[in-house]
Amino acid sequence: MGRTVATITQHLNETEAMLQRFRRTLRRQDQVLFDGLMASAHAHIAAISEAQALLPFEVALLAMLLEQHRQIAHLNQRVADLEQSFGMFHPDAR
Amino acid sequence: MRAEILGWLLDVYTRPSGELVCWLLGKDGQRWLLPMDFPVTFYAGGRPEHLRQAWRAVTDSSVQKARAVRADLFGREQILLSLTAPTPGQAGALYHQLSTTFPHLDYYDADVPLGVRFMAYTGVPLLGYCRFQTDGQSLISLEPLESPWELVPSQPPLRVMELTCSSDPALKLPSTLMLHCGTWVYHLALQPLRAFLANFQAILQRYDPDVILTDYGDAWFFAFLRESAPHFNPNRDPIMPVAFQRERSLFAYGQVLYRARQAHLFGRWHIDRCNAALFGEIGLEGVLELARVTGLGVQEAARKSPGAGITAMQMHTALRDRVLIPVAKAQAETPRTLNDLIQHDRGGLIYQPLIGVHKYVAEIDFTSMYPYIMVNHNISPETLGYHDATSGLVPRTLRPLLEKRTALKRFLCTLDRRDCRVPLLQARQKALKWLLVVCFGYLGYKNARFGRVESHEAVTGISRELLLQSKEVAEELGFTVLHMYVDSLFVWHAKSTREEDFTPLLLAIERQTGIPVTLEGVYQWLVFPPARRHPSIPVPNRYFGAFNDGRVKVRGLALRRHDTPRFVAETQWHLLSLLAQSENPEEHAEAARAFAKAQLSRLARRDVPAEDLKVAVKLRQRPEICLRPGPAAQAARQLHERGVTIRPGMRLFFWFTRQGISVTQPPPEALDLERYARLVQRAVDEVLEVFKPPPPLSLQLRLDSFAFPACTCPQRP
């Protein structure tokens, strides 16, 4: 916890508060996605803090990308597993 | 006639005449109150012309004046006016007079606690075993036979009297007092007052206690005695009256605290268990240990925060090593760039845990991580920026403390849990732990005599680096790091289920960081629940689990909060106990839900004692300035209307009723059962939410509660 500099959690909460009107304007289903995106940044607060960035939200965006990349990797793996279980071959494997 | 006696130094204080009095307990059981010659020196610094004026202003011939050259913490030598008064009382009065007349001078060594100064100059710690010579009228000499750092110090045979009253005096004047003296218990009715006073005095004289442990002694009993019997003196020293210190509210450690009025005795100690913050945890044994190592008197050590203890220890080191102790902190923080602040103005490393139920997780704790960093890396205000500096004042102060606590913990590990020495040793090591806990915070505290925020930041910077190194070590050995929290790690490995499986990791971390680590235990299962605001946001300081040996550990749940009613806390605890019955908590989740339902039914039937629904909340500010008064402010107003004096930081008790709140116990039909049911349900959800079956796909994809609209749903080819 810093004395003068706000913590990353405070930064993220303030950014979320600042983006409230943006969120409000989104459609309901997009609001849910937006909340999930912001939540995914919260999973990497320690790493964002260690980056010591002047603008922490830039690194928070990287954390969101990381989470998305993880989900893509996870889905890829599931697709590969399903294809294997159905006896299909991945096009890249040919 | 001169006599040489072996015994213990219990306390030192000044009489109104200014002379120092030592309270000693001989090995034969005799109590001594002996005055002693104890001149006190303090210094004034500043511009030469101002020092000359101050020199001329001191006209008392008994005060020795001299020119002195002394170094401060940073090694800067200064020309000072040295003033030596023949007694501590005179020195205090002289300092008060000079600081009022010459406020622009800097004063050094002027406000050191008497016990600390005495320990520094005689080498005899409070509670320390010693040899003393007396002619029966005064103390001639004193020689230490024991250090405060003895692992098992000798125990003075103290007589303890406990005094409890039949009700909380803030709400209702007690009708009887219970006095526990050894194996005897006396019940004394407060009315008629004359009979009570006669009985109390008789018991005091007959039992002659060294320690009086009370409930509400500070806030009520001794003030009541003074008002109802002004000539009654409960002190052993007949010259001294009871010393009262006024009540106050203060802001410390991020919260508003209330310290009730204090009543200090002379020649015996008074400790109010309701006004001694740590007493519940460390007990009398812990308080005696605090007094032994800090030099603060037992009555101060019991009531003051551990920060005061650490300051006293630093003062002792400074006096011993002839370093000037400024009355007010002298050095200010240097101006810094934003970039510098972003890099260094940070705390310990707090990870985000992986949400869910985890099996066979080891919790690894660093032992006194921050103090070890301060000692190993020589972190002190004066050593910052120097790689080859000699040991700084802060590490010099901490090293024996750290070594003693580590030795105590090692000794405890060798003992059977049923050994009668274990509770006493635990109390002592906990007391030392609190000193070590606050020593780091005091480095960054703005008013700390020997603090500097840059050294505080250096400690957190090193701790973050060490924790990252530990994570890397764990990952290299194939462990998954589930969570890290400042000085602890939670790790998992598919093939590690027993404590010995984690030993290689512990050794590797110790080798890498140079700081001892201990295995808190291996959890059969451990839950990191999600935040209430979103199911994929983790909460760093909330978890619960069952160790392999059956212990249950809980952090951040309702039952850990002071404002949770007993009924809610017990319900939550019972749920956890049910889950802890096997290594698969999911198996007992249904039974736990059934129990929660039964508890809610009990509540609905009004089958819960009102005492178990009492809520305790700390008042944060004066109730009259609350624009929208919450329950605490409402309770404060009700109590105020009943004539009770309310101060911020006080803990107030009340019940939720249909009309709002009530500070007196309401009839069962007036209780707001819906509100209590919500509290119970919330406590149940905290524990059982994570055991709900997950939604089939959406949770795995982390698109929680999201569903594509029917029209946009991708079609299977």
Side-chain angles (χ1 to χ4, degrees), chain B residues 327-346:
Chain B
V327 168
K329 186 179 176 178
Q331 71 278 8
E333 187 181 351
T334 48
R336 305 165 71 182
T337 63
L338 177 62
N339 212 22
D340 187 44
L341 278 174
I342 287 173
Q343 279 186 19
H344 300 113
D345 178 26
R346 294 153 62 204

Side-chain angles (χ1 to χ4, degrees), chain A residues 3-5 50 52 67 75, chain B residues 345-347 352 701-702:
Chain A
R3 296 164 302 123
T4 314
V5 181
E50 280 302 303
Q52 299 173 5
E67 278 296 300
L75 290 173
Chain B
D345 178 26
R346 294 153 62 204
Q352 270 46 54
L701 297 182
R702 292 191 173 224

